[in-house]
Amino acid sequence: MTTGNLLNIQPSELKFPFELRKQSSCSMQLTNKSDQYVAFKVKTTNPKKYCVRPNTGVVLPGATCNVTVTMQAQKETPPDMQCKDKFLLQSVIAPNGATSKDITQDMFNKEEGKVVEEFKLRVVYIPANPPSLVPEGSQEGYSPKAPSLENGNQISSMFSAVHVVFYVTKSLEETKDNLFQATRSPEAPKEKFSEGWTMISKLIEEKSAALQQNQRLHQQLDLLTKEVSRSRAGGFPPKFVVLVALLGVLIGYLIRRT
């Protein structure tokens, strides 16, 4: 926070999330700490690059005014993400009852006996999407290539694999039951037995492949569980935590069935 005799200015520097070819905005709050009307004006060293709303105004005693600064979309990234642009905020006592329509340039001219407060604010660029850092003290065997928690495709593929295991197991049980019922009927043709055993053999092969996929799911689930416990301080969405728990219950059920 920057403070003077007339206004408190927060923040003391303008931070813009920087992303190529996209506009970005930041805001500052001007609080009148005096018992008089205060007029303000915002200037910048690069007026074509920024839009300030409002760029002039009057703040009543004890009141706060929000100023939004919008940076136009940029076509290239500056070296080292450094910006030399600056803003100048001028403030001066205004007549009681004054409005933004009463503000003139002459009000901010420095004259003898007139106090014009000036504050310079620098521009800071911050990455719009900062890279996530791997927590320190990671356990042995933890891989940074664990399934991304922000990638819904990982969760979708895991549920698809679980569905295959469930479907193959169910189909195998139904085929065994049907074949058993067929053997109890003396009129059952031999072709039915042959077809039944062929189907069972095929399902057994599919079940074996599905169980291998089930093992891979367990490994992914272990990694997800470690990542959840490791990143609780970062605050995972509750829906995701519930999703991982349900996935563990479903896999456990399938293992008991197989």
Side-chain angles (χ1 to χ4, degrees), residues 148-248:
S148 172
L149 298 177
E150 297 176 356
N151 190 349
N153 292 332
Q154 293 282 350
I155 301 299
S156 177
S157 62
M158 290 174 69
F159 269 105
S160 298
V162 171
H163 177 73
V164 170
V165 176
F166 181 80
Y167 172 78
V168 171
T169 302
K170 183 178 180 182
S171 299
L172 181 57
E173 292 177 352
E174 290 178 351
T175 304
K176 286 181 179 180
D177 292 340
N178 293 336
L179 185 60
F180 177 74
Q181 294 295 332
T183 58
R184 300 181 63 182
S185 173
E187 293 83 9
K190 294 183 179 180
E191 290 79 4
K192 293 294 183 181
F193 293 108
S194 177
E195 293 176 3
W197 285 116
T198 301
M199 179 64 69
I200 286 180
S201 299
K202 182 179 179 181
L203 287 173
I204 289 175
E205 294 176 358
E206 293 180 357
K207 182 179 179 181
S208 176
L211 288 175
Q212 293 178 2
Q213 179 67 14
N214 195 9
Q215 293 177 352
R216 288 193 291 270
L217 286 175
H218 257 292
Q219 295 174 356
Q220 293 184 12
L221 180 60
D222 289 340
L223 290 176
L224 286 173
T225 303
K226 290 180 181 178
E227 199 163 338
V228 168
S229 60
R230 195 182 295 275
S231 307
R232 281 179 179 174
F236 278 122
K239 291 183 178 179
F240 179 81
V241 177
V242 173
L243 185 63
V244 172
L246 290 176
L247 184 59

Side-chain angles (χ1 to χ4, degrees), residues 32-243:
N32 186 349
K33 57 185 296 185
S34 72
D35 57 359
Q36 302 182 68
Y37 281 60
V38 175
F40 71 87
K41 184 173 185 177
V42 182
K43 297 181 179 180
T44 178
T45 56
N46 197 342
K48 294 183 179 180
K49 184 177 178 181
Y50 302 95
C51 177
V52 183
R53 291 291 182 271
N55 63 340
T56 60
V58 175
V59 187
L60 277 60
T64 298
C65 177
N66 291 321
V67 177
T68 301
V69 183
T70 302
M71 181 178 67
Q72 305 301 320
Q74 300 299 298
K75 296 181 180 180
E76 58 184 18
T77 303
D80 300 326
M81 289 285 284
Q82 299 297 315
C83 180
K84 297 181 179 180
D85 300 333
K86 289 181 174 59
F87 282 79
L88 176 67
L89 176 66
Q90 297 177 303
S91 59
V92 65
I93 296 175
N96 288 340
T99 66
S100 57
K101 296 180 180 180
D102 301 320
I103 297 177
T104 63
Q105 177 59 44
D106 295 339
M107 295 177 64
F108 300 95
N109 292 338
K110 297 181 180 179
E111 301 173 355
E112 186 176 355
K114 180 191 293 186
V115 177
V116 179
E117 289 189 344
E118 294 184 341
F119 298 96
K120 293 181 179 180
L121 297 92
R122 71 189 190 100
V123 175
V124 177
Y125 292 154
I126 56 177
N129 298 306
S132 58
L133 300 178
V134 177
E136 295 182 359
S138 58
Q139 296 180 359
E140 185 177 356
Y142 177 79
S143 172
K145 296 183 179 180
S148 172
L149 298 177
E150 297 176 356
N151 190 349
N153 292 332
Q154 293 282 350
I155 301 299
S156 177
S157 62
M158 290 174 69
F159 269 105
S160 298
V162 171
H163 177 73
V164 170
V165 176
F166 181 80
Y167 172 78
V168 171
T169 302
K170 183 178 180 182
S171 299
L172 181 57
E173 292 177 352
E174 290 178 351
T175 304
K176 286 181 179 180
D177 292 340
N178 293 336
L179 185 60
F180 177 74
Q181 294 295 332
T183 58
R184 300 181 63 182
S185 173
E187 293 83 9
K190 294 183 179 180
E191 290 79 4
K192 293 294 183 181
F193 293 108
S194 177
E195 293 176 3
W197 285 116
T198 301
M199 179 64 69
I200 286 180
S201 299
K202 182 179 179 181
L203 287 173
I204 289 175
E205 294 176 358
E206 293 180 357
K207 182 179 179 181
S208 176
L211 288 175
Q212 293 178 2
Q213 179 67 14
N214 195 9
Q215 293 177 352
R216 288 193 291 270
L217 286 175
H218 257 292
Q219 295 174 356
Q220 293 184 12
L221 180 60
D222 289 340
L223 290 176
L224 286 173
T225 303
K226 290 180 181 178
E227 199 163 338
V228 168
S229 60
R230 195 182 295 275
S231 307
R232 281 179 179 174
F236 278 122
K239 291 183 178 179
F240 179 81
V241 177
V242 173
L243 185 63

Side-chain angles (χ1 to χ4, degrees), residues 237-258:
K239 291 183 178 179
F240 179 81
V241 177
V242 173
L243 185 63
V244 172
L246 290 176
L247 184 59
V249 172
L250 181 56
I251 293 177
Y253 167 78
L254 291 175
I255 290 176
R256 291 194 298 271
R257 293 295 301 272
T258 56

